[in-house]
Amino acid sequence: MLTFEGLDTLATVWLNDEIVGRSDNMFRQLAIDVTAKVRPGRNALAVRFTPTSTLEIDEALPSWSLGGDTLKQTKRNFVRKAQFGWGWDWGPNLPTVGIWKPVTLAVEQAAAIRTVKFTTREITPARNRARVSVEVEADDFSGAPLSAEIILTGPDGAAAADDKIVLNHGKGAVEFDLHNPELWWTPELGAASLYTLTITLKADGEITGRDVRRVGIRTIELDTAPDPDEPPARFFRFVLNGVSIFARGACWIPASSFVAEVDEAHYRRLLEPAARANMNMLRIWGGGVYEHEAFYDLCNELGLLVWQDFMFACAPYPEQNPAFVANVDAEVRFQIERLRNHPCMALWCGNNENQMMHAFANAVARRDDPLPGDLYYSKLMPAAVAELDPTTPYWPGSPFGGPIANSMLAGDVHDWTVWHGVPPMPVDRPVGKFEITPESVAYTRYAEDMARFIGEYGIQASPVMETLNRALPEDQRYIASPGLIHRLKDRPKNKVDAMLIPVTGLPADLDQYVDFTQIMQAEGLKFGVEHFRRRTPHCSGSLIWQYNDCWPAISWSLVDYNGFGKASYFYVARGYAPVMASFKAVGDGGLELWIVNDTMAPVSGVLDIALHAFDGGKAWSEAVEYQVPATASLRVWSGEVAGSPGHVIRVTSPDGAFPDNRHLFAAIKDLDRADPPAPDVRMQALSPHEVAVHITAKAYVWFVHLLVADEATIFSDNYLDIPEGETKTLLVRNEVRPLGSDDITLRWR
């Protein structure tokens, strides 16, 4: 069997001057029986790729996709290929071609394992027993009696269950009852425990195949029941092993425009920081790719749930061509069978934004045309999931739910009021104008969002200066240079000004541009994360657009292309802490303090609230006792605070139950504060690869951050405030190369 795991995209395979196979789908493997085609000695194998531009398209579809006429130019909605390759508002026009996944030549004798399905059927309410099943399907070439030995090994290496089954017509199944199983959890709830499943296939007693994979024991459900406290709204929350969770995460795009180059090490450099940022879910966006196996393996290991879009995005898709429909059906089924055994898999989703964009197009045209492509989202995909992976939820699109896609009453929403100026949709129609002004796109408008689950929202910012220095020639390192503008794909190019003007003011140079855009993004996402989490359980998810980049760009990412975390990464990491405290302004001078607890145990203790003056000292402080139930959000304090632009109010936890937080009484540019004196800094080498940086503030310092020109550097925290007289110790570690104090730069605002 000659197997091409991924050909991008229109390809013809030749073996010894004979065509043996064709591909027209980047997302399906091409397996070819070449038994009669190979010959002893030297064989000639060739793959010829045909440009997608040569496709002849007869079917006409509306052009409401991203980029206007882009569809007519690229025909991307008629090609089963990564859609982002033709450009997006964060990525370049770089349509790839070639072999993007491994190619294997394997000898199969008598029989071969075709598919394996591991399912957690049930977990008792006490979680002291689980019932799991293993299903095996094999291709039988000989007609010999087939059997399979199945061994399930626990996380500790001890055998948890085993059996031998007979395969009838190539199929067989077994169920195991496991006592006191080690369940797979997201990090705030427990360990991401993994078992090893080993299946040995035998034909007439002789071993003909073996499959070894890591699996997790867990159940996942999607709760869309009515919300009794906010009728007529409905919940949209994930239930893991019987526990309702708040999904804290971001949207994932391909980690490179050249998708073949992303390997396990590349994924690890990005996914481990996501886990360190207290994330428990990533959404694989529908304009990219079904990621390489290593991505899902790492999510299994790190306890990161995966919301998996099928690869359809921002376009109408053809339904009338039987060959195209069959191609999509085969793709969907192949990917479900490939990925269903990963415990990280939380949801199959039909597409990105197609229902929403179609609804907007209908509203503008005052028509009620059917959605081109709805055949896939409403029939083909749910049928395939129900047949092949029925214990994983399916959702028709993102956003979807309620009386219209993007309604706040049900399902998930994409909140692009902030940044893009899209009017919000509380019920069944947009409210307000579509405009980009400082007032219409202010990040404080996140407070208007009463949605159930936020599947996208974000603010654009520059990458760190080190990334710009690597990407831009020296003569292009200034605001509005052609090189800088080229790396900003959103339009208009000055859209950021509407958000900067009221927050930081406009930057005067590139240094300020980097800092000001990162400040605005960080402060805005902090505001949004805190608002959405305070709404637990009525809101049950925050997936920020976007986590990563596919090239060095100015985009909505938290982590730039080289792997450097922007200021927003660290703000979000604190905002996503399993236990989080935040202030909420109410009325004139009113302030509330809320604590969100995403863990399975109640939390209690004493916290400190203090009003600091920027010019020195505390106006007042108060100790507050609190107690918050498991997986809940609760107001623990309220009061009238005589704050001013010269003050900041902070909350701290003496026992470290949650990260420090603060509330400002004015926009950044309007704060009444003098330039603070430089803080005292002491560098302490803990090892050749780790330095402790002790920072003592002589006055209130803000946006304190350390810079190291190496993306492998890990910071225990960064981009934070330090009040007068306090010392913060930040650990800086680089496991790849030695790290010294000369490598570390301290900055503040």
Side-chain angles (χ1 to χ4, degrees):
M1 294 300 298
L2 175 64
T3 303
F4 294 87
E5 293 186 22
L7 294 174
D8 177 11
T9 293
L10 305 178
T12 304
V13 179
W14 299 70
L15 180 61
N16 297 326
D17 301 322
E18 181 181 352
I19 294 176
V20 294
R22 299 181 189 274
S23 171
D24 60 357
N25 191 324
M26 179 178 178
F27 306 126
R28 291 171 57 190
Q29 73 173 20
L30 176 64
I32 309 166
D33 183 348
V34 295
T35 306
K37 309 295 183 181
V38 293
R39 59 195 182 202
R42 189 177 181 86
N43 288 261
L45 176 65
V47 183
R48 177 190 178 190
F49 291 91
T50 303
T52 54
S53 59
T54 63
L55 276 179
E56 295 183 4
I57 306 300
D58 296 327
E59 187 175 353
L61 289 173
S63 184
W64 44 256
S65 79
L66 183 74
D69 289 336
T70 301
L71 284 180
K72 295 178 182 178
Q73 299 164 8
T74 66
K75 313 167 193 175
R76 69 172 175 83
N77 51 331
F78 290 89
V79 187
R80 295 311 302 145
K81 173 176 170 57
Q83 307 284 277
F84 85 108
W86 284 285
W88 225 262
D89 54 1
W90 39 260
N93 189 330
L94 286 172
T96 51
V97 61
I99 300 172
W100 77 288
K101 284 191 171 184
V103 185
T104 59
L105 182 66
V107 176
E108 297 179 347
Q109 294 179 320
I113 297 173
R114 196 188 79 78
T115 64
V116 172
K117 183 180 179 185
F118 178 87
T119 306
T120 304
R121 298 289 181 184
E122 179 188 11
I123 298 173
T124 59
R127 304 189 188 94
N128 59 356
R129 187 178 62 82
R131 183 162 52 90
V132 302
S133 67
V134 181
E135 300 171 58
V136 181
E137 185 174 343
D139 289 328
D140 183 4
F141 315 130
S142 66
L146 299 184
S147 63
E149 292 180 355
I150 300 172
I151 301 174
L152 188 64
T153 305
D156 60 358
D162 64 89
D163 203 350
K164 180 178 180 179
I165 59 174
V166 174
L167 275 58
N168 294 313
H169 303 290
K171 297 181 180 180
V174 65
E175 290 192 354
F176 298 121
D177 281 321
L178 305 177
H179 296 281
N180 298 317
E182 296 185 56
L183 303 184
W184 187 91
W185 294 101
T186 49
E188 76 279 12
L189 300 178
S193 299
L194 294 172
Y195 287 67
T196 300
L197 177 65
T198 303
I199 299 173
T200 303
L201 179 67
K202 294 183 178 181
D204 205 12
E206 296 294 325
I207 296 176
T208 64
R210 180 172 280 115
D211 185 291
V212 181
R213 63 183 66 219
R214 303 186 82 187
V215 296
I217 298 173
R218 64 98 181 99
T219 58
I220 190 78
E221 299 170 282
L222 186 61
D223 177 11
T224 58
D227 183 343
D229 296 324
E230 293 191 355
R234 307 182 74 88
F235 290 119
F236 188 90
R237 57 186 178 183
F238 290 89
V239 181
L240 178 65
N241 300 329
V243 179
S244 296
I245 69 169
F246 190 100
R248 308 183 311 273
C251 298
W252 173 279
I253 65 169
S256 172
S257 287
F258 303 106
V259 292
E261 74 175 8
V262 183
D263 58 11
E264 192 270 347
H266 195 151
Y267 282 132
R268 189 173 289 278
R269 289 195 298 271
L270 288 170
L271 291 176
E272 287 183 346
R276 288 197 298 270
N278 298 305
M279 294 188 184
N280 62 11
M281 179 178 281
L282 291 172
R283 172 183 166 231
I284 298 183
W285 170 74
V289 298
Y290 307 93
E291 294 292 339
H292 298 279
E293 205 72 20
F295 176 93
Y296 304 93
D297 289 340
L298 284 167
C299 287
N300 296 340
E301 173 189 321
L302 297 169
L304 294 172
L305 289 167
V306 172
W307 168 314
Q308 177 70 62
D309 283 6
F310 288 107
M311 293 300 116
F312 296 78
C314 301
Y317 287 86
E319 301 177 350
Q320 306 306 317
N321 183 338
F324 189 89
V325 174
N327 196 2
V328 170
D329 187 51
E331 168 195 323
V332 165
R333 289 174 173 272
F334 171 74
Q335 293 295 342
I336 293 172
E337 289 188 335
R338 180 173 82 93
L339 300 176
R340 64 187 175 187
N341 295 308
H342 291 283
C344 63
M345 294 297 292
L347 182 81
W348 295 100
C349 178
N351 70 83
N352 172 78
E353 294 188 345
N354 289 348
Q355 287 95 341
M356 181 189 76
M357 295 184 75
H358 181 67
F360 280 5
N362 268 346
V364 170
R366 301 194 178 192
R367 301 174 64 165
D368 191 25
D369 295 338
L371 168 63
D374 190 56
L375 166 70
Y376 307 118
Y377 323 130
S378 295
K379 295 180 181 179
L380 186 151
M381 292 173 182
V385 172
E387 177 187 343
L388 301 173
D389 190 20
T391 57
T392 301
Y394 171 78
W395 196 245
S398 181
F400 186 83
I404 190 172
N406 222 40
S407 166
M408 296 180 190
L409 291 182
D412 73 308
V413 307
H414 290 187
D415 186 336
W416 287 113
T417 300
V418 178
W419 185 262
H420 284 310
V422 178
M425 197 177 300
V427 181
D428 61 356
R429 65 194 64 190
V431 176
K433 296 180 180 179
F434 191 131
E435 59 183 357
I436 300 172
T437 65
E439 297 76 22
S440 64
V441 300
Y443 67 68
T444 51
R445 294 200 69 184
Y446 285 135
E448 301 172 24
D449 195 331
M450 298 292 123
R452 313 295 106 188
F453 190 107
I454 320 302
E456 276 189 23
Y457 69 107
I459 298 170
Q460 197 179 81
S462 169
V464 300
M465 186 64 77
E466 174 66 18
T467 289
L468 290 181
N469 288 341
R470 295 184 194 181
L472 297 174
E474 189 172 355
D475 65 355
Q476 294 294 304
R477 296 172 191 166
Y478 62 90
I479 294 177
S481 74
L484 190 74
I485 293 300
H486 174 67
R487 294 183 178 276
L488 201 170
K489 293 301 182 183
D490 193 22
R491 292 184 175 86
K493 301 292 187 177
N494 65 346
K495 188 184 289 186
V496 69
D497 291 358
M499 295 201 69
L500 288 175
I501 287 169
V503 177
T504 61
L506 295 178
D509 55 35
L510 192 58
D511 277 332
Q512 282 195 349
Y513 178 82
V514 172
D515 277 2
F516 284 14
T517 58
Q518 288 202 17
I519 287 167
M520 182 261 297
Q521 181 192 42
E523 294 289 337
L525 293 181
K526 173 183 183 294
F527 186 93
V529 165
E530 291 174 358
H531 166 69
F532 297 133
R533 289 193 68 189
R534 282 194 299 265
R535 279 186 41 75
T536 300
H538 312 297
C539 178
S540 298
S542 156
L543 301 182
I544 294 165
W545 185 270
Q546 64 210 63
Y547 179 68
N548 59 315
D549 277 324
C550 67
W551 74 315
I554 299 163
S555 79
W556 296 265
S557 68
L558 304 178
V559 177
D560 72 25
Y561 175 73
N562 290 321
F564 292 102
K566 300 179 184 178
S568 59
Y569 167 84
F570 297 95
Y571 275 56
V572 167
R574 294 189 288 268
Y576 275 170
V579 179
M580 185 270 291
S582 67
F583 291 101
K584 178 183 178 182
V586 288
D588 294 332
L591 208 59
E592 298 175 346
L593 179 66
W594 288 67
I595 291 183
V596 182
N597 175 20
D598 282 357
T599 73
M600 285 199 291
V603 294
S604 61
V606 177
L607 57 83
D608 293 326
I609 304 174
L611 184 67
H612 295 257
F614 286 129
D615 60 4
K618 294 181 183 179
W620 62 264
S621 62
E622 181 179 350
V624 177
E625 293 185 0
Y626 67 91
Q627 186 170 359
V628 182
T631 61
S633 174
L634 192 67
R635 184 182 64 189
V636 298
W637 175 89
S638 62
E640 298 291 323
V641 180
S644 74
H647 291 92
V648 57
I649 190 168
R650 302 181 75 244
V651 56
T652 57
S653 169
D655 60 358
F658 52 80
D660 299 351
N661 205 349
R662 51 92 169 134
H663 172 77
L664 302 173
F665 295 94
I668 303 297
K669 67 182 182 62
D670 297 326
L671 294 176
D672 183 9
R673 54 190 295 265
D675 289 338
D680 290 331
V681 181
R682 181 170 63 89
M683 304 276 189
Q684 178 187 7
L686 301 180
S687 77
H689 294 271
E690 186 169 26
V691 176
V693 183
H694 309 281
I695 308 169
T696 302
K698 299 176 183 177
Y700 197 102
V701 286
W702 172 76
F703 207 62
V704 178
H705 57 282
L706 304 176
L707 297 175
V708 177
D710 189 312
E711 56 269 40
T713 306
I714 298 171
F715 301 91
S716 61
D717 201 355
N718 216 352
Y719 296 91
L720 69 164
D721 298 13
I722 307 178
E724 178 188 24
E726 291 191 15
T727 299
K728 293 287 185 182
T729 297
L730 304 182
L731 300 180
V732 186
R733 187 173 79 256
N734 190 315
E735 298 173 351
V736 177
R737 53 190 57 86
L739 181 69
S741 58
D742 292 343
D743 299 315
I744 303 171
T745 301
L746 171 67
R747 296 185 63 211
W748 64 91
R749 282 281 176 185

